[in-house]
């Protein structure tokens, strides 16, 4: 009986250290995304307050070993700069009424020995969809998986006219950067 109990314990211990795949939901309260840009007046940023999505990942101990899927959604109206008039210009530029979300849907992902994930997929902004590769450093801390990185692109690539203010005297630069630290 003691031998059987010991064997069962060893088998359970062995399986608990193996890689396992899990589908996980985005933890909005532990995730941070911001959009950064420039203007003729000053640099600016908007925090994304509503993030959702999921990922199917494999974890071994404290390392992510594979990412099978990664889907993210940012609610356009949750972009907040702290300046109401700027927010309204951003919503209009992003065509929020007809395209309320910014989405990324992965089609393929790889991870290197250092935990850097390269996720190929489709990024949709203002109704325009482009194939992109997002890169992120992965980490595991107390069972929470995080992906941190950034991507830079031109708004006009997505048919977004860079917003202006003050009757066109303040212009926004075409290039923006999305900085993300998403936890699942």
């Amino acid at each position: 009986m003691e031998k059987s109990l010991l064997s069962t314990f060893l088998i359970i211990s062995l399986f608990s250290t193996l890689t396992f795949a899990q589908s996980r939901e985005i933890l909005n309260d532990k995730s941070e995304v911001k959009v950064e840009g420039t203007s003729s007046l000053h640099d600016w940023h908007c925090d994304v307050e509503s993030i959702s999505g999921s990922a199917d990942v494999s974890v071994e101990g404290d390392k992510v070993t594979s990412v099978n899927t990664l889907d993210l959604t940012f609610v356009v109206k949750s972009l907040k700069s702290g300046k109401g008039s700027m927010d309204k210009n951003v919503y209009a530029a992003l065509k929020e009424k007809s395209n309320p979300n910014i989405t990324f849907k992965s089609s393929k992902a790889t991870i290197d020995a250092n935990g850097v994930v390269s996720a190929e997929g489709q990024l949709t902004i203002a109704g325009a969809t482009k194939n992109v590769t997002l890169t992120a450093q992965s980490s595991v801390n107390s069972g929470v998986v995080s992906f941190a990185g950034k991507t830079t692109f031109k708004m006009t690539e997505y048919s977004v006219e860079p917003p202006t203010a003050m009757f066109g005297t303040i212009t926004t630069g075409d290039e923006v950067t999305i900085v993300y630290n998403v936890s699942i």
Side-chain angles (χ1 to χ4, degrees), residues 36-45 83 86 155 162-165 169-176:
E36 299 175 334
T38 62
S39 76
S40 55
L41 187 59
H42 55 73
D43 291 351
W44 58 269
H45 82 274
K83 298 172 180 79
M86 179 179 162
M155 288 186 274
T164 62
T169 59
I170 300 173
T171 57
T172 303
D174 191 12
E175 190 171 271
V176 294

Side-chain angles (χ1 to χ4, degrees), residues 73-77 79 90-103 124-129 158-160:
T73 299
F74 310 146
V75 176
V76 171
K77 271 210 162 173
L79 289 163
V90 169
Y91 305 154
L94 293 174
K95 306 168 191 154
E96 181 275 331
K97 290 187 190 243
S98 58
N99 301 285
N101 298 314
I102 295 171
T103 61
T124 301
I125 300 172
T129 302
Y158 290 87
S159 300
V160 173

